[in-house]
């Protein structure tokens, strides 16, 4: 790594495949107290102790989802980043296996890289001026 730019700033989400996301979400709600929403995921808000506010998403996906492709693992970690475009450029320059596309929406900007073991990693830059909450 040749640059000192800010890269990952936190975990934005943990996503994993489940045979029955609805039933699994209900189990986590009923037995572990997660505030599971109608999309079967939960949002953990954090910050307020002098650090910037933010959130981490926990979400089961359908077992046959292709969202984690071309990765072959049953999970995907989403990392919050400070500047997606600069990080994607740096990762390409460093020879990383970067998926050559990004997406933008009201939730922010998203990009992906494949780690050396074939896991797809999602990189998320929250919308400008927002913590992602």
């Amino acid at each position: 790594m040749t640059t000192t730019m800010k890269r990952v700033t936190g975990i934005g989400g943990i996503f994993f495949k489940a045979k029955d996301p609805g039933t699994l979400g209900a189990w986590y709600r009923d037995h572990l107290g997660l505030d599971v929403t109608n999309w079967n995921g939960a949002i953990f808000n954090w910050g307020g102790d002098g650090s910037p506010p933010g959130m981490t998403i926990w979400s089961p996906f359908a077992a046959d989802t292709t969202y984690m492709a071309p990765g072959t693992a049953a999970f995907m970690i989403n990392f919050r980043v400070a500047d997606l475009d600069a990080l994607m450029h740096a990762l390409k320059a460093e020879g990383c296996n970067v998926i050559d596309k990004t997406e933008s929406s009201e939730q922010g900007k998203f990009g992906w890289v494949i780690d050396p073991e074939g896991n797809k990693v999602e990189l998320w830059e929250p919308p400008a001026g927002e913590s992602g909450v």
Side-chain angles (χ1 to χ4, degrees):
M1 189 166 74
T2 58
T3 180
T4 59
M5 67 178 266
K6 194 171 202 176
R7 293 183 182 229
V8 169
T9 62
I11 294 177
I14 299 173
F15 311 115
F16 57 95
K17 294 180 181 182
K19 293 177 188 170
D20 185 343
T23 299
L24 187 63
W27 186 92
Y28 276 87
R29 179 193 64 232
D30 297 344
H31 299 287
L32 297 182
L34 270 66
D35 185 15
V36 177
T37 65
N38 61 352
W39 48 271
N40 297 321
I43 299 173
F44 295 92
N45 292 303
W46 41 265
D49 57 355
S51 63
M55 68 177 183
T56 300
I57 302 291
W58 171 92
S59 183
F61 280 59
D64 62 352
T65 185
T66 59
Y67 190 70
M68 297 168 200
T72 57
F75 68 90
M76 182 176 68
I77 297 177
N78 166 295
F79 287 109
R80 296 169 58 96
V81 301
D83 183 340
L84 180 67
D85 294 334
L87 180 55
M88 296 293 279
H89 179 75
L91 292 172
K92 286 179 188 177
E94 294 163 4
C96 294
N97 184 2
V98 173
I99 294 176
D100 197 25
K101 75 170 189 169
T102 59
E103 293 180 8
S104 294
S105 72
E106 61 275 1
Q107 285 85 31
K109 294 168 61 174
F110 298 86
W112 300 269
V113 62
I114 307 299
D115 77 12
E117 294 201 4
N119 300 306
K120 184 177 180 183
V121 177
E122 186 168 66
L123 305 171
W124 169 54
E125 180 184 332
E130 294 185 26
S131 63
V133 176

